[in-house]
Amino acid sequence: MNEQTRRRIEAAAEENYRQFNKSLLPGIENILGVRLPILHKMAKELIQQGWAEALEGEDLFYEERMLRGILIAQAPMSPEKRLESIRQFVPLIDNWGVCDSFCASLKPFIQEHFYEMLDFAAPYVEAAGEFEVRFGLVTLLSHFMLPETAERVFQILDNARHPGYYARAALAWALSVCYVKFPEKTRTYLERRDLDDFTYHKTLQKIRESRRVSAADKNALASLKRTAGEKAASASFPGGEKDWRAAATQEK
């Protein structure tokens, strides 16, 4: 970000919110504490006033990277330019907050270029980088859980095998959304897919936590539970049980 934009972001920082965000983003230290609605408001203003200049320079803070993603997703540019900007931005993502916000911000573009973006997102599920994989998965679960793309989505999910926590958590999240939308297909998928214990039990956990799944369906999931139990999920998170629970809550 350029210096003028950085000063605007710094002026909107809140210490209490910085501490809250740090508790949800283990290992991310360059947090100022600016709320997401404020960053969206800044993005709208920059789009009117000169967004390209704002993107000049490196990002020193978490919120700068977040704002950069919003601008890349929503500033006026050709489809070819936006796809190239997305392609350059995704490797810069190093946390779930920026990743998930960026995926959500892409909604208008995806609505206009639906199948092109499905083809664009699919290879990321097989990428080497943990957050590149998460980008692909969160894009799918946010925008492509529809009857006309269900079979393609399940085929793409078959290729998600990254061992990183945030990639596996995103896969579990995606499968829980699949269950809400396509319960029978998802149940069949869970029975045949060779998911690791963490991803498998986190998927069941997130389905049980969903308000869009009936009590009867939640009870029926008990027959799918493996003997390893949910301890495998929390044990696999580098921050331990507390951070796993916080991340799971934030992802709903």
Side-chain angles (χ1 to χ4, degrees), residues 76-96:
M77 63 183 79
S78 69
E80 295 76 17
K81 173 64 175 176
R82 195 178 316 278
L83 287 173
E84 181 56 29
S85 297
I86 295 170
R87 191 174 288 109
Q88 293 175 5
F89 181 76
V90 171
L92 302 179
I93 298 173
D94 63 357
N95 62 81
W96 67 263

Side-chain angles (χ1 to χ4, degrees), residues 21-150:
N21 252 359
K22 283 186 67 176
S23 72
L24 297 178
L25 294 159
I28 306 300
E29 299 296 333
N30 60 338
I31 298 172
L32 291 171
V34 181
R35 297 177 186 273
L36 187 56
I38 293 176
L39 294 174
H40 276 285
K41 181 180 179 182
M42 286 185 187
K44 289 181 180 179
E45 293 170 352
L46 288 168
I47 287 171
Q48 299 298 321
Q49 300 168 0
W51 59 271
E53 292 80 3
L55 294 179
E56 296 175 355
E58 297 182 4
D59 299 331
L60 301 183
F61 297 104
Y62 165 81
E63 288 84 357
E64 291 181 79
R65 186 64 49 81
M66 185 81 78
L67 181 57
R68 181 180 297 273
I70 298 169
L71 289 171
I72 287 171
Q74 299 189 349
M77 63 183 79
S78 69
E80 295 76 17
K81 173 64 175 176
R82 195 178 316 278
L83 287 173
E84 181 56 29
S85 297
I86 295 170
R87 191 174 288 109
Q88 293 175 5
F89 181 76
V90 171
L92 302 179
I93 298 173
D94 63 357
N95 62 81
W96 67 263
V98 169
C99 179
D100 297 5
S101 171
F102 181 57
C103 294
S105 297
L106 287 169
K107 182 177 180 179
F109 182 67
I110 290 175
Q111 288 177 331
E112 293 181 4
H113 303 275
F114 187 78
Y115 288 103
E116 184 177 7
M117 273 302 294
L118 179 58
D119 291 338
F120 181 87
Y124 282 98
V125 171
E126 303 177 64
E130 180 175 9
F131 289 101
E132 292 178 81
V133 173
R134 186 177 177 98
F135 163 76
L137 291 169
V138 176
T139 298
L140 289 177
L141 72 88
S142 299
H143 306 292
F144 296 100
M145 295 299 187
L146 300 170
E148 58 267 35
T149 52

Side-chain angles (χ1 to χ4, degrees), residues 154-159 171 175 184-195:
F154 280 115
Q155 291 171 3
I156 295 170
L157 294 182
D158 266 341
N159 299 320
L171 176 56
L175 288 171
E184 293 304 319
K185 287 182 179 180
T186 306
R187 186 182 179 95
T188 300
Y189 183 87
L190 291 173
E191 290 172 344
R192 74 164 178 80
R193 171 75 192 267
D194 58 335
L195 293 170

